[in-house]
Amino acid sequence: MLDLEDLMLKETSQTQRDSVCIIALVFVGNCEIDLEIKRYFCRAGVKSIQIHGTMRVILEPLIGDMPLVGALSIFFLRKPLLEINWTGLTNLLDVPGLNGLSDTIILDIISNYLVLPNRITVPLVSEVQIAQLRFPVPKGVLRIHFIEAQDLQGKDTYLKGLVKGKSDPYGIIRVGNQIFQSRVIKENLSPKWNEVYEALVYEHPGQELEIELFDEDPDKDDFLGSLMIDLIEVEKERLLDEWFTLDEVPKGKLHLRLEWLTLMPNASNLDKVLTDIKADKDQANDGLSSALLILYLDSARNLPSGKKISSNPNPVVQMSVGHKAQESKIRYKTNEPVWEENFTFFIHNPKRQDLEVEVRDEQHQCPLGNLKVPLSQLLTSEDMTVSQRFQLGNSGPNSTIKMKIALRVLHLEKRERPPDHQHSAQVKRPSVSKEGRKTSIKSHMSGSPGPGGSNTAPSTPVIGGSDKPGMEEKAQPPEAGPQGLHDLGRSSSSLLASPGHISVKEPTPSIASDISLPIATQELRQRLRQLENGTTLGQSPLGQIQLTIRHSSQRNKLIVVVHACRNLIAFSEDGSDPYVRMYLLPDKRRSGRRKTHVSKKTLNPVFDQSFDFSVSLPEVQRRTLDVAVKNSGGFLSKDKGLLGKVLVALASEELAKGWTQWYDLTEDGTRPQAMT
C-alpha cells in the first residue's frame, strides 16, 4: 500500500536548469512471495515489506518541448530503513541477530544503486547527456576536524554498578553514504582526537553532517550523544570552529572545526592551497587534499583475449592514485566492455601524483593492458578536463579505453567579517532513535563497500587536526517547518501510516487520558515548584512542542504531524522517556486516541510522526486538539506521569492551508502560546 497523499513534499525548488523535490517516502506493502524446493521439502517467502526514507527526485534539464524535462534522476539521500517479515524457512531470519544481518545485506544492495552518490537516471529524450546526469560533479567537499569532547557521561561501572568509572569514547561521522570512525580514547571523559576527515557533498539541502559518540564495551557500546548539522549553514559560513552541545544526553559537548571547500576548475589557487596544507615541501602522497579527481569510466575496445585465445575475457578495471585504489564492476565474456561508472579520488599533490589504470581478466587473473596519466597533464588542459580514448600499453595494437578525467582544486574561501560577527550552525535534532541509527551505522562500517564511487571516503583519519580551541557556544535548536514522515524507527507499528484506521467502538473514556486523572496536573505543578526552588524559570518552563496542523478537504481528515519537543523537564537523572498522545475533543474514547512512539532518555525528542482524524472542515473548526506530552514507565512506575499539555483551538480560517508552530507546554494546557 503506497498512499501518495501521505507523501509530503518537504522542498521544491525550480530554476531554469532543473527542478528538484524531496519526498519523505513511507511504503507499507503486504505481499505474497513464496518459494518451494520440492526435493528438500523447503518453503520460504516474504509476507510483508516496509521501507521508508528521504528520496530526492531531480527533473533536469528543463526543455521547451514535451515532455518538458530531459531526464529523471531518483536517489535516497541516506540509507532507508527496511523491515521484512519472512515466512517459512526464511522465518529464521527474524531471529534477533539474524534479522539485522539480513536487512543490512539487502540495504547494502539498495545503497549500491539508490543511495548517494548512486542514483537511477531515466532519459526521457534521446539528446540528453546521460553520463553527465548520472554522475554529476559534487557540490563541494566538507573537511571535518574532529577535535575533542568535554564533560561526557561515564558509562563504565565496576562491582556490579556500585562504582562508576569513565568511558572509552569514539565517534562515528556520517555524510550521506560516507562513514568514518575515529580511534578509541581509553578511560577519558574529555577525549582529544585531533583527527580530520574529508567527505563529498553531492546534494544540499538534504544532506547533513551526523555525528554520534559511543563508549566502547566488549558486548554492546553505550550511547554518549549525537549531533546533526545542516550543511547549508556550513556552506554559508565557509568556516565554523565551535563547541556544540550533544543531543539526547543530559551533558556533553563536542568541538568541531568545519571547512567548506569549493571545487575550482582552474589551477590559479593551487600553489596557495598546497602551501596551506604543507604539501609543497613533503614528498608524501597522503595527507590533507588539495584537489579532487573525478573519473568517468566509459568503455574499452579491442581488448586481447587473455590466456585463452578462443574465449572472451571478463574485464575489470583497477584505478589507483598513490595508496588509494578502486575497482570497476566486472563485465563478463566481452572484449568491448561498457562500464559507465564514476569514481572520485582525493589528491594530495597533483603536481607529483599519477593516475594508474590497469585492465585485467578477472577469470584468469591476467593483465589485459595498463595506462599511466600524470595529473600534472590535467593542470594545463582546458577546464582541467580530458575526455578521450587512451591507448593501452602492454595490450593489443588497437586496444583503447575511453575515460573522462576532471581535476578540481579544493579552495577554502575565507570571508571577511566584522569583529562582532556571531554565527552558529543550525543544529538539527536526530531523526531516528539512537538504537536504529546505531544499528544502521555500525552495519555500514562492517558491511561490504559499494562499487565504484559509492565508497570514495577514506575509513581512517587524513591527518592530525588543529588543536586550536573554539568559541564555546550552545547551538540553538531549529525552528524549521514540517519534517514530514521522516525516519520513524524500525518497529512495524511506527511505520503504519495512521492508527486512526482501527475502528473500535468504546463509549467510555480511556483511563490513560490525563483529563480523567486531574491528580497528574497537580503532580506536575508540584514538580514545577520543586524545579523552581526559589529561582525564576524561563518563559517556557515545561518546554515546547512543534506541530504541523492542517485539514485535507480531499480526504476529509485533520492531519497532525508531531515533529519534536525541546527543553522538557527531567523525571530522573537520565532525563525522561517522552511520548505524545492526542485527542480531538470532546471525543475522549480510546479509539480516538493517537500516540507516538516512546523516545528514551532525552529531553529533546524527535518523533516526526503523522496522524489523522476523520472529520469534516466545518465540524473540526468547532473542536479542540488536546495534546499531552507524557513520560513513559513500566507498570506501577513512579516515573510515569505528565510532562506538559497544550490545547489548540481549531477555529481558524487558515486550517485548510495548515501551519507549523512551536507551542508552549503548560500544566493544564489552558494557556497555549504559539511561537512561529
Side-chain angles (χ1 to χ4, degrees), residues 73-140:
S73 298
I74 303 173
F75 53 86
F76 284 102
L77 292 170
R78 63 179 65 87
K79 258 190 177 183
L81 294 180
L82 180 69
E83 181 84 16
I84 298 179
N85 186 7
W86 304 93
T87 61
L89 180 64
T90 50
N91 196 40
L92 292 174
L93 296 177
D94 284 331
V95 175
L98 291 179
N99 59 350
L101 177 62
S102 62
D103 290 353
T104 298
I105 294 174
I106 296 173
L107 280 176
D108 283 339
I109 297 174
I110 295 175
S111 298
N112 291 343
Y113 292 94
L114 265 177
V115 179
L116 272 179
N118 306 301
R119 62 185 69 197
I120 292 179
T121 301
V122 181
L124 302 180
V125 293
S126 58
E127 298 83 9
V128 174
Q129 294 287 337
I130 192 68
Q132 183 178 356
L133 296 177
R134 282 180 178 167
F135 311 109
V137 176
K139 299 293 190 300

Side-chain angles (χ1 to χ4, degrees), residues 38-289:
K38 293 184 177 180
R39 181 176 179 181
Y40 298 101
F41 302 100
C42 295
R43 289 186 176 181
V46 176
K47 185 177 181 181
S48 64
I49 298 176
Q50 302 180 32
I51 185 170
H52 65 90
T54 304
M55 176 177 285
R56 173 163 288 186
V57 180
I58 299 180
L59 306 174
E60 65 170 340
L62 299 182
I63 57 180
D65 301 323
M66 294 299 291
L68 301 181
V69 292
L72 174 71
S73 298
I74 303 173
F75 53 86
F76 284 102
L77 292 170
R78 63 179 65 87
K79 258 190 177 183
L81 294 180
L82 180 69
E83 181 84 16
I84 298 179
N85 186 7
W86 304 93
T87 61
L89 180 64
T90 50
N91 196 40
L92 292 174
L93 296 177
D94 284 331
V95 175
L98 291 179
N99 59 350
L101 177 62
S102 62
D103 290 353
T104 298
I105 294 174
I106 296 173
L107 280 176
D108 283 339
I109 297 174
I110 295 175
S111 298
N112 291 343
Y113 292 94
L114 265 177
V115 179
L116 272 179
N118 306 301
R119 62 185 69 197
I120 292 179
T121 301
V122 181
L124 302 180
V125 293
S126 58
E127 298 83 9
V128 174
Q129 294 287 337
I130 192 68
Q132 183 178 356
L133 296 177
R134 282 180 178 167
F135 311 109
V137 176
K139 299 293 190 300
V141 170
L142 180 66
R143 182 174 290 160
I144 307 159
H145 295 258
F146 191 64
I147 302 175
E148 59 182 324
Q150 285 186 4
D151 199 24
L152 298 180
Q153 286 183 290
K155 291 290 187 177
D156 294 338
T157 57
Y158 306 97
L159 299 178
K160 295 185 177 181
L162 296 178
V163 179
K164 283 192 174 182
K166 297 185 178 181
S167 292
D168 305 322
Y170 69 92
I172 291 179
I173 301 99
R174 180 170 67 181
V175 179
N177 214 25
Q178 305 159 89
I179 299 180
F180 314 91
Q181 181 171 330
S182 74
R183 71 183 192 274
V184 179
I185 306 296
K186 294 292 185 180
E187 297 185 358
N188 199 325
L189 299 182
S190 297
K192 293 185 178 181
W193 291 280
N194 290 321
E195 297 176 356
V196 185
Y197 307 94
E198 293 171 333
L200 301 174
V201 180
Y202 283 90
E203 295 290 338
H204 67 288
Q207 283 192 278
E208 296 95 16
L209 169 63
E210 302 175 57
I211 299 178
E212 290 181 306
L213 300 185
F214 293 96
D215 167 38
E216 185 184 54
D217 285 323
D219 48 359
K220 183 179 180 181
D221 296 350
D222 295 317
F223 180 74
L224 294 177
S226 66
L227 191 65
M228 185 179 294
I229 299 176
D230 191 346
L231 295 185
I232 286 290
E233 300 296 321
V234 182
E235 182 193 16
K236 188 184 302 180
E237 295 291 342
R238 302 295 179 179
L239 175 63
L240 287 172
D241 193 336
E242 295 187 21
W243 284 91
F244 295 91
T245 302
L246 294 172
D247 288 322
E248 298 188 282
V249 287
K251 63 177 183 176
K253 52 186 179 179
L254 181 64
H255 184 194
L256 299 174
R257 176 185 169 92
L258 305 176
E259 300 173 1
W260 180 271
L261 306 178
T262 305
L263 275 59
M264 306 295 293
N266 56 72
S268 59
N269 295 317
L270 180 59
D271 291 336
K272 182 180 183 304
V273 172
L274 292 175
T275 303
D276 291 342
I277 66 172
K278 300 178 181 180
D280 54 340
K281 298 179 180 179
D282 59 47
Q283 300 294 321
N285 289 329
D286 293 319
L288 292 179
S289 303

Side-chain angles (χ1 to χ4, degrees), residues 278-561:
K278 300 178 181 180
D280 54 340
K281 298 179 180 179
D282 59 47
Q283 300 294 321
N285 289 329
D286 293 319
L288 292 179
S289 303
S290 65
L292 181 71
L293 181 68
I294 306 165
L295 187 152
Y296 174 61
L297 176 64
D298 186 87
S299 59
R301 287 182 182 175
N302 303 316
L303 294 180
S305 299
K307 286 187 176 181
K308 291 186 178 182
I309 301 178
S310 59
S311 63
N312 288 326
N314 297 337
V316 61
V317 181
Q318 183 179 63
M319 296 138 290
S320 60
V321 178
H323 303 298
K324 306 167 187 174
Q326 298 186 52
E327 270 193 2
S328 71
K329 296 178 181 178
I330 303 171
R331 294 294 180 255
Y332 293 95
K333 303 298 181 182
T334 177
N335 61 357
E336 295 198 355
V338 176
W339 288 284
E340 294 184 339
E341 294 184 58
N342 187 60
F343 304 88
T344 54
F345 292 89
F346 284 107
I347 306 300
H348 182 58
N349 189 342
K351 293 184 177 182
R352 290 199 294 262
Q353 293 182 270
D354 301 323
L355 169 66
E356 298 182 7
V357 179
E358 182 184 37
V359 185
R360 69 176 191 272
D361 183 2
E362 191 274 337
Q363 182 177 6
H364 299 102
Q365 293 299 315
C366 63
L368 300 176
N370 54 54
L371 171 70
K372 178 182 286 189
V373 180
L375 298 184
S376 57
Q377 176 183 334
L378 295 172
L379 297 176
T380 58
S381 302
E382 184 180 359
D383 291 333
M384 294 199 297
T385 302
V386 174
S387 179
Q388 66 181 63
R389 285 199 170 272
F390 296 88
Q391 179 68 41
L392 289 173
N394 301 317
S395 186
N398 299 318
S399 298
T400 60
I401 185 169
K402 184 179 180 182
M403 298 186 298
K404 182 177 182 179
I405 311 172
L407 191 68
R408 295 292 181 264
V409 176
L410 302 180
H411 174 60
L412 175 60
E413 179 185 348
K414 296 182 180 179
R415 296 183 175 178
E416 296 294 332
R417 296 185 177 90
D420 58 346
H421 174 76
Q422 294 183 355
H423 63 260
S424 179
Q426 183 179 2
V427 178
K428 293 188 174 182
R429 297 304 176 191
S431 55
V432 195
S433 66
K434 60 190 178 189
E435 289 298 326
R437 282 199 321 275
K438 178 177 176 181
T439 302
S440 173
I441 292 179
K442 299 288 277 187
S443 63
H444 238 122
M445 298 297 299
S446 59
S448 58
S454 63
N455 196 14
T456 59
S459 58
T460 56
V462 178
I463 196 171
S466 169
D467 206 16
K468 177 182 176 182
M471 181 186 302
E472 184 170 343
E473 201 172 310
K474 184 175 180 181
Q476 298 298 320
E479 296 189 8
Q483 299 297 316
L485 300 176
H486 185 58
D487 294 339
L488 308 182
R490 283 183 50 82
S491 66
S492 58
S493 59
S494 64
L495 283 172
L496 296 176
S498 170
H501 295 300
I502 305 174
S503 56
V504 181
K505 294 184 178 180
E506 281 189 83
T508 57
S510 166
I511 61 171
S513 170
D514 51 84
I515 297 178
S516 58
L517 297 175
I519 190 173
T521 302
Q522 299 175 8
E523 291 176 349
L524 182 58
R525 288 173 178 166
Q526 182 179 0
R527 183 177 293 272
L528 194 59
R529 286 194 296 270
Q530 293 173 353
L531 290 175
E532 186 174 5
N533 196 20
T535 62
T536 302
L537 297 178
Q539 182 180 3
S540 307
L542 295 180
Q544 296 173 316
I545 184 171
Q546 188 187 34
L547 304 173
T548 292
I549 304 174
R550 68 179 178 89
H551 187 272
S552 173
S553 58
Q554 293 180 344
R555 302 171 59 193
N556 205 32
K557 289 183 179 181
L558 175 69
I559 311 296
V560 181
V561 181

